[in-house]
Amino acid sequence: MQLPKHVTLKEVGPRDGLQNEKTHITTADKIQLVNLLSQTGLNYIEVTSFVHPKWIPQLADAVEVLQAIKREKDITYAALVPNMRGLERALQADIDEVNVFMSASESHNQNNINKSIAETFPILREVVTGAKNEHKNVRGYISTVIGCPYEGYIQPEKVLRVTDKLLEMGVDEISLGDTIGVGVPTQVESLLEELLKRYPTEKFAMHFHDTRGTALVNIMKSLDMGITKFDSALGGLGGCPYAKGASGNIATEDLLYLLDEMGIKTGVNMKSLLEAAHFIEQKLGKTVASKQMAIVRNEGSANVL
Amino acid sequence: MQLPKHVTLKEVGPRDGLQNEKTHITTADKIQLVNLLSQTGLNYIEVTSFVHPKWIPQLADAVEVLQAIKREKDITYAALVPNMRGLERALQADIDEVNVFMSASESHNQNNINKSIAETFPILREVVTGAKNEHKNVRGYISTVIGCPYEGYIQPEKVLRVTDKLLEMGVDEISLGDTIGVGVPTQVESLLEELLKRYPTEKFAMHFHDTRGTALVNIMKSLDMGITKFDSALGGLGGCPYAKGASGNIATEDLLYLLDEMGIKTGVNMKSLLEAAHFIEQKLGKTVASKQMAIVRNEGSANVL
């Protein structure tokens, strides 16, 4: 087994986690959540989204949250940005990294963004150019890289075509999302084999949802293929509001347990992370889908928190 | 990735699943559960336990259940047998396979069986000899093969020592149990490397609990090392009543999803399996911890069941 010595966890809970939650989280609570996450040792936090509040009402306070959080110097604070109007607001809020997004599946792109893949490229190019002019890092999310709720299995070549375009625009890193959590390691292997023929591993992060319990097996396969950056959400929060059956991201604390026990360094402290997960669990008023949090509840929070 | 073409799923739900459930399941419901499982394509079902009802009251009706189930000719019906009194009852109930058990950890063996490891061997030897005299197959469970709630990490040599003894007694197959679900793939690798130096892969089945979400990554590692037999419990039921923090077995349907999607044959039908899981979920009156069952509930049972 070829395992890296160090892995970077990219925390997407405040954005990908909360965007699909029906329980209203106050601006003050979002700020506290990000501040708690900033104390865990994470060095990347996706804080919010500049998608129009009509689509994601939970994150309508993006500017306020970004302006009020206490920033730590070693942490990159990122946000999702769909278009030039979003970029203006993100820059106004002094974002560190601009995250654009689209799908590898034509139907999912149409359903999620209301545009074809071809129509999406020029919009993203404008945002990437605008962000680069302001010397911002840009991340490109590609969703439905393995399966699509409308089209089923997505061929790796489709993902490669979108990857080519995004990297050519100047995107710094691609996050490959198994948005509906259908993938298995053999499919991850086919996908990465195709992409790594042309690009180095450093260009990619993997973003797995745990809908069918396969997120960690897919992460293990990705690690074995040299990938060292993974998206995750504390408490296993999240999901895609437009993808039927999609459930949460892999829980950061469950991924951290696996990496810790295999001796792979992340810099993240489990106890601080569980405190942040406990905080948002209380605010959401529901039991989050994380194995580590289940253990905390079973053993009594006094022991762990 | 080296993957086998065929895997055998050994269903332990009626025994390892139910033994730790507080909700009383009637004898008629247990019989129906086993009969439903017999229609799924599984060829191995651990039906019950002959541990004294003082310790496992839920399975006090072991003989009645075994005598009333409708047996299919290609299925092995097994039961847990702790001693000669248990063996007598199991033979009276015409069991196909006799399953003995002990721990690799001295403290867990003491807590679970109330005897030292050295004191346990002669008791098991008597049972194995008695079963073999009746031409029965014998399986040996070794629990806490990676971690123990009292001793922490268990060295592979301790597991090897117990394995040597059980195989020397005449046990046909060893099921290696990560009873408290703490293991990670690097530990599974160390354990299997040690055992496979001396014995062929066919001698072993792996038995993972999913307490920390690592059951499937450990199964992937085991598959990659040539293991083709895995214990699992429908609905992710189960746990060890004497091991703090232990939660359910890997859910048969979640393991089946992974294997199906990787093109590994098991002979098990997902729809029939979900029907059995749905049946026991209703009888237990609680939400079972299985990703596939969560999808069934989200999408509405009409679509899937």
Side-chain angles (χ1 to χ4, degrees):
Chain A
M1 201 157 28
Q2 295 190 337
L3 294 174
K5 290 195 175 7
H6 190 278
V7 152
T8 301
L9 297 181
K10 302 211 160 186
E11 175 59 46
V12 298
R15 194 279 301 172
D16 199 14
L18 294 186
Q19 71 175 18
N20 202 23
E21 292 294 339
K22 293 200 174 65
T23 305
H24 177 68
I25 303 295
T26 67
T27 303
D29 286 340
K30 287 175 199 161
I31 293 162
Q32 193 174 341
L33 172 63
V34 175
N35 288 346
L36 284 168
L37 287 168
S38 291
Q39 299 307 315
T40 58
L42 284 161
N43 50 32
Y44 187 98
I45 303 171
E46 194 179 55
V47 177
T48 187
S49 166
F50 290 95
V51 169
H52 196 285
K54 182 170 74 174
W55 305 112
I56 315 240
Q58 178 76 274
L59 304 181
D61 54 3
V63 171
E64 295 91 306
V65 171
L66 274 167
Q67 284 177 339
I69 54 172
K70 186 174 176 305
R71 300 200 191 190
E72 301 293 336
K73 69 171 165 33
D74 293 331
I75 302 180
T76 299
Y77 297 92
L80 211 62
V81 171
N83 51 32
M84 288 305 281
R85 174 73 191 107
L87 181 64
E88 278 168 40
R89 293 175 66 213
L91 293 172
Q92 173 200 343
D94 193 24
I95 197 73
D96 293 332
E97 184 174 285
V98 170
N99 297 356
V100 298
F101 59 97
M102 61 183 297
S103 292
S105 145
E106 190 65 55
S107 328
H108 186 260
N109 203 72
Q110 194 72 53
N111 274 273
N112 198 24
I113 304 181
N114 211 21
K115 287 185 176 52
S116 72
I117 286 179
E119 289 163 349
T120 306
F121 286 134
I123 298 166
L124 266 49
R125 184 180 297 274
E126 204 183 0
V127 174
V128 174
T129 306
K132 285 286 161 188
N133 287 342
E134 299 296 321
H135 311 290
K136 300 296 182 187
N137 224 48
V138 182
R139 166 177 244 223
Y141 282 106
I142 306 179
S143 51
T144 65
V145 298
I146 293 176
C148 164
Y150 315 107
E151 297 182 21
Y153 180 64
I154 298 296
Q155 294 289 341
E157 303 85 69
K158 289 192 183 177
V159 184
L160 178 62
R161 245 172 284 155
V162 176
T163 299
D164 285 342
K165 280 280 196 181
L166 292 179
L167 290 175
E168 180 260 318
M169 281 178 202
V171 163
D172 298 286
E173 172 183 292
I174 301 282
S175 171
L176 298 165
D178 179 13
T179 314
I180 56 169
V182 290
V184 294
T186 45
Q187 295 168 333
V188 172
E189 187 170 45
S190 302
L191 173 64
L192 284 175
E193 268 174 359
E194 185 74 19
L195 297 172
L196 298 178
K197 272 183 216 162
R198 195 163 323 181
Y199 302 106
T201 52
E202 300 75 53
K203 282 287 167 199
F204 301 101
M206 303 304 286
H207 180 109
F208 290 112
H209 284 236
D210 202 31
T211 319
R212 288 160 186 82
T214 58
L216 289 184
V217 288
N218 291 334
I219 288 171
M220 282 299 297
K221 171 47 69 183
S222 308
L223 284 168
D224 197 37
M225 294 183 79
I227 302 293
T228 61
K229 295 180 285 190
F230 296 94
D231 298 356
S232 59
L234 82 167
L237 303 177
C240 173
Y242 310 108
K244 182 187 172 197
S247 81
N249 290 269
I250 182 65
T252 309
E253 57 271 33
D254 291 345
L255 175 52
L256 180 61
Y257 176 82
L258 174 67
L259 297 171
D260 276 351
E261 294 298 305
M262 296 197 301
I264 298 174
K265 303 280 180 243
T266 60
V268 181
N269 178 272
M270 180 66 89
K271 187 168 179 296
S272 311
L273 185 63
L274 290 175
E275 280 165 1
H278 184 64
F279 171 80
I280 196 64
E281 181 171 71
Q282 287 184 306
K283 297 302 175 185
L284 287 169
K286 67 163 191 180
T287 298
V288 298
S290 130
K291 297 284 185 178
Q292 288 297 319
M293 284 299 289
I295 291 171
V296 169
R297 280 188 299 270
N298 285 344
E299 297 189 349
S301 60
N303 286 346
V304 183
L305 294 178
Chain B
M1 200 159 26
Q2 294 189 336
L3 294 174
K5 291 196 175 7
H6 190 277
V7 152
T8 301
L9 297 181
K10 302 209 162 188
E11 175 60 46
V12 298
R15 193 280 300 175
D16 200 13
L18 294 186
Q19 73 176 18
N20 202 24
E21 292 295 338
K22 293 201 175 66
T23 305
H24 176 68
I25 303 295
T26 67
T27 303
D29 286 342
K30 288 174 200 163
I31 293 162
Q32 192 173 345
L33 173 63
V34 175
N35 288 346
L36 284 169
L37 287 168
S38 290
Q39 299 307 314
T40 59
L42 285 162
N43 49 34
Y44 187 98
I45 303 170
E46 194 179 54
V47 176
T48 187
S49 167
F50 289 95
V51 169
H52 196 285
K54 182 171 71 174
W55 305 110
I56 316 239
Q58 178 75 274
L59 303 181
D61 54 3
V63 172
E64 295 91 309
V65 171
L66 274 167
Q67 285 177 339
I69 55 172
K70 185 173 176 304
R71 301 201 190 189
E72 301 292 335
K73 68 172 165 36
D74 294 333
I75 303 179
T76 298
Y77 296 93
L80 212 61
V81 171
N83 51 32
M84 287 306 280
R85 174 73 190 109
L87 182 63
E88 277 167 42
R89 293 176 65 216
L91 292 173
Q92 173 199 342
D94 193 25
I95 197 72
D96 294 331
E97 184 173 283
V98 170
N99 296 357
V100 299
F101 58 98
M102 62 182 298
S103 292
S105 146
E106 189 65 56
S107 330
H108 186 261
N109 202 72
Q110 194 72 55
N111 274 273
N112 198 24
I113 303 181
N114 211 21
K115 289 188 172 52
S116 72
I117 286 180
E119 289 163 349
T120 305
F121 287 134
I123 298 166
L124 266 48
R125 184 182 297 275
E126 204 182 1
V127 174
V128 174
T129 306
K132 285 285 161 188
N133 287 343
E134 299 295 323
H135 311 290
K136 300 294 181 187
N137 224 46
V138 182
R139 168 176 241 224
Y141 282 104
I142 306 179
S143 49
T144 64
V145 298
I146 293 176
C148 164
Y150 315 106
E151 298 183 21
Y153 179 64
I154 298 297
Q155 295 290 341
E157 303 85 73
K158 289 193 182 174
V159 184
L160 179 61
R161 245 173 286 154
V162 176
T163 298
D164 285 342
K165 279 279 195 184
L166 292 179
L167 290 174
E168 181 259 319
M169 280 176 204
V171 163
D172 298 286
E173 172 184 292
I174 301 282
S175 171
L176 299 165
D178 179 14
T179 314
I180 57 169
V182 289
V184 294
T186 45
Q187 294 167 333
V188 172
E189 188 170 43
S190 302
L191 173 64
L192 284 175
E193 268 173 1
E194 184 73 19
L195 298 172
L196 298 178
K197 271 183 216 162
R198 193 163 324 183
Y199 301 108
T201 52
E202 300 75 52
K203 283 286 168 202
F204 301 101
M206 304 303 288
H207 180 110
F208 290 112
H209 284 236
D210 202 32
T211 320
R212 288 158 186 83
T214 58
L216 289 184
V217 288
N218 291 335
I219 287 171
M220 282 299 297
K221 172 45 71 185
S222 308
L223 283 169
D224 197 35
M225 295 183 78
I227 302 293
T228 60
K229 295 179 284 190
F230 296 94
D231 299 356
S232 60
L234 82 166
L237 303 177
C240 173
Y242 309 107
K244 183 186 171 197
S247 82
N249 290 269
I250 182 64
T252 309
E253 57 270 33
D254 292 346
L255 175 52
L256 181 61
Y257 176 82
L258 174 65
L259 297 172
D260 276 350
E261 294 297 305
M262 295 197 301
I264 298 174
K265 303 281 179 245
T266 60
V268 181
N269 179 273
M270 179 65 91
K271 188 169 179 294
S272 311
L273 185 63
L274 290 175
E275 280 165 1
H278 184 63
F279 171 79
I280 196 64
E281 180 170 72
Q282 287 184 307
K283 297 301 174 185
L284 288 169
K286 68 165 192 179
T287 297
V288 298
S290 130
K291 297 284 186 179
Q292 288 298 319
M293 284 299 289
I295 291 170
V296 169
R297 281 189 298 271
N298 285 344
E299 298 190 347
S301 61
N303 285 346
V304 184
L305 295 179

